[in-house]
Amino acid sequence: MLYVLLDNVPSINFDMCVAVRPEIPTPKRKIETYEVPGRHGALTKLGAFEDISLPVVFNILENENVKQKIRNFKGYLLNKKTLRFSDDDVFYTLKNFEVGSIDNQIAEYGYFTVTFLLGPFQYALSEKEEFTKADTIFNYGTFESNPEITVFGNGDINLIINEQKFVMKGIKDFIVLDSEMKLAYKGSENVTNLTNGEFLTLKVGKNTISWTGNVKKIEINPRWRYI
């Protein structure tokens, strides 16, 4: 039985399963083209990948109390951030959803469709990795990742990944660097003003990690991702 997990909560908790394994589209990449007089072919500039739209057909597992089950399922869909299928070990970021005409579809077929708006990447289910000395980390994904890095230490710290250098000033105890949000914080406090440099990324393949300053350890949530 195939089902979805939204924020790791399975849809079968609400007596809903996926009727047919959906075809997942490959995200399109934006491309800018520039015509140059006298040049054969246009110059191209690669842009960001676009979101994907994914229709998923659900089936209600029980026939009794259908209307209440539908109401419960709609509530389950609200405010979720991730989507995963039970037969896969990757997840998507969930941005929005649209529910089809449930009452009519259920009356005729017992099925209904939810169209999910998802981010372009598939993210691996990965654990945080801890470092207490200079080391390497390997990106097994197919695209560079924007990790979440927690630096435990005090004072002025320079974190270096490959040729990238990120500077932190006057750190007390720890700081969290979110490369996806382009934000540094400690608890609920925004401390991006204590940092300088481009937020760090992890390229596909081998990445070297080192630092200077008073650092106890570093934890990395790598956020490996695939196209």
Side-chain angles (χ1 to χ4, degrees), residues 4-62:
V4 300
L5 298 96
L6 303 185
D7 290 357
N8 291 321
V9 179
S11 61
I12 53 174
N13 286 6
F14 299 85
D15 294 325
M16 303 286 178
C17 68
V18 177
V20 180
R21 184 67 164 91
E23 295 183 2
I24 299 176
T26 298
K28 295 180 180 179
R29 194 169 195 175
K30 296 178 181 178
I31 298 178
E32 296 179 16
T33 59
Y34 305 90
E35 298 290 343
V36 179
R39 176 186 172 87
H40 298 288
L43 293 174
T44 59
K45 179 181 178 182
L46 295 177
F49 286 95
E50 299 178 348
D51 293 333
I52 60 175
S53 179
L54 181 62
V56 178
V57 180
F58 288 92
N59 180 26
I60 294 184
L61 301 179
E62 303 290 343

Side-chain angles (χ1 to χ4, degrees), residues 5-219:
L5 298 96
L6 303 185
D7 290 357
N8 291 321
V9 179
S11 61
I12 53 174
N13 286 6
F14 299 85
D15 294 325
M16 303 286 178
C17 68
V18 177
V20 180
R21 184 67 164 91
E23 295 183 2
I24 299 176
T26 298
K28 295 180 180 179
R29 194 169 195 175
K30 296 178 181 178
I31 298 178
E32 296 179 16
T33 59
Y34 305 90
E35 298 290 343
V36 179
R39 176 186 172 87
H40 298 288
L43 293 174
T44 59
K45 179 181 178 182
L46 295 177
F49 286 95
E50 299 178 348
D51 293 333
I52 60 175
S53 179
L54 181 62
V56 178
V57 180
F58 288 92
N59 180 26
I60 294 184
L61 301 179
E62 303 290 343
N63 292 323
E64 70 272 9
N65 300 320
V66 168
K67 290 185 177 180
Q68 185 59 46
K69 290 180 184 294
I70 291 172
R71 286 191 285 268
N72 292 341
F73 187 70
K74 286 181 178 179
Y76 161 69
L77 294 171
L78 291 173
N79 302 317
K80 297 301 189 295
K81 301 300 183 183
T82 64
L83 178 147
R84 177 166 67 92
F85 291 96
S86 60
D87 66 343
D88 207 349
D89 58 358
V90 297
F91 66 89
Y92 300 83
T93 56
L94 174 56
K95 298 186 174 184
N96 196 18
F97 68 90
E98 293 183 2
V99 181
S101 301
I102 288 183
D103 292 339
N104 291 337
Q105 293 183 57
I106 290 297
E108 295 182 13
Y109 309 110
Y111 301 92
F112 64 95
T113 301
V114 179
T115 301
F116 295 100
L117 179 64
L118 307 174
F121 297 104
Q122 301 175 344
Y123 289 86
L125 297 173
S126 55
E127 300 290 335
K128 288 184 178 181
E129 300 191 33
E130 182 177 302
F131 301 87
T132 56
K133 59 182 177 61
D135 208 335
T136 61
I137 185 170
F138 200 90
N139 182 354
Y140 291 95
T142 58
F143 203 77
E144 69 177 21
S145 77
N146 293 321
E148 180 188 72
I149 304 173
T150 305
V151 179
F152 295 88
N154 291 278
D156 297 346
I157 297 168
N158 296 327
L159 178 59
I160 302 128
I161 296 182
N162 302 322
E163 292 78 33
Q164 309 166 87
K165 180 179 178 181
F166 195 80
V167 178
M168 294 155 275
K169 296 288 187 180
I171 304 306
K172 295 182 179 179
D173 300 325
F174 73 93
I175 186 173
V176 181
L177 313 175
D178 191 327
S179 295
E180 198 163 89
M181 300 298 294
K182 310 299 182 189
L183 178 69
Y185 62 91
K186 181 180 180 182
S188 60
E189 181 184 2
N190 185 337
V191 292
T192 309
N193 62 305
L194 300 179
T195 70
N196 185 40
E198 295 291 327
F199 279 84
L200 302 166
T201 60
L202 297 170
K203 67 181 182 180
V204 175
K206 183 180 177 181
N207 295 266
T208 60
I209 302 172
S210 62
W211 56 80
T212 62
N214 181 15
V215 175
K216 179 181 179 182
K217 66 176 180 177
I218 290 176
E219 290 181 350

